[in-house]
C-alpha cells in the first residue's frame, strides 16, 4: 500500500520529531508511527489530534512554515545563480 505524505503526516511527524520521546523512548516513537499506519490502513486516514496536544501541533505547523519559507528562498537564490552563471 502507498501512503501519501499529506499535511496530517507532515504535522504528526514534525511534532513527533520535536517530542522528548525521540530521545527518551525510541520504542514509543516507533509504536506511535505504527499506530499511524494502522489507522490509515483501517480507516484511510488518521488525525494527529488523537496523538498530540494543540500546542504541539501548532509548534509543528510553525516549524513546517519556517522550513518552507527558507526552502523557497534557497530555491529562488539557486535559480537566480544558475540564470546568472549560464555557460554558453
Amino acid at each position: 500500500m502507498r501512503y501519501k505524505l499529506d499535511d496530517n503526516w507532515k504535522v504528526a511527524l514534525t511534532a513527533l520529531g520535536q517530542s522528548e520521546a525521540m530521545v527518551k523512548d525510541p520504542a514509543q516513537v516507533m509504536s506511535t508511527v505504527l499506530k499511524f499506519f494502522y489507522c490509515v490502513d483501517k480507516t484511510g486516514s488518521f488525525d494527529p489530534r488523537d496523538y498530540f496536544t494543540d500546542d504541539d501541533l501548532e509548534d509543528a505547523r510553525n516549524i513546517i512554515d519556517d522550513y518552507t519559507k527558507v526552502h523557497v528562498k534557497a530555491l529562488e537564490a539557486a535559480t537566480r545563480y544558475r540564470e546568472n552563471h549560464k555557460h554558453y
Side-chain angles (χ1 to χ4, degrees), residues 3 5 7-8 23 30 39 41 45 47-48 52-53 56 60 69 72 74 76 82-83 85 88:
Y3 299 93
L5 183 60
D7 287 341
N8 281 346
V23 175
M30 182 56 79
C39 201
D41 286 343
S45 66
D47 189 345
F52 303 101
T53 66
D56 291 339
K69 289 174 188 171
V72 166
E76 289 171 350
R82 280 193 303 273
E83 288 174 356
H85 294 86
Y88 296 100

Side-chain angles (χ1 to χ4, degrees), residues 14-53:
T14 302
L16 194 58
Q18 297 300 311
S19 71
E20 290 183 26
M22 283 297 279
V23 175
K24 293 183 178 180
D25 193 2
Q28 179 62 34
V29 171
M30 182 56 79
S31 175
T32 302
V33 171
L34 290 174
K35 288 177 188 176
F36 297 164
F37 283 108
Y38 176 76
C39 201
V40 170
D41 286 343
K42 190 171 183 170
T43 66
S45 66
F46 73 96
D47 189 345
R49 293 176 293 185
D50 293 340
Y51 303 94
F52 303 101
T53 66

Side-chain angles (χ1 to χ4, degrees), residues 69-81:
K69 289 174 188 171
V70 168
H71 182 70
V72 166
K73 286 182 182 179
L75 184 59
E76 289 171 350
T79 301
R80 279 193 308 276
Y81 179 84

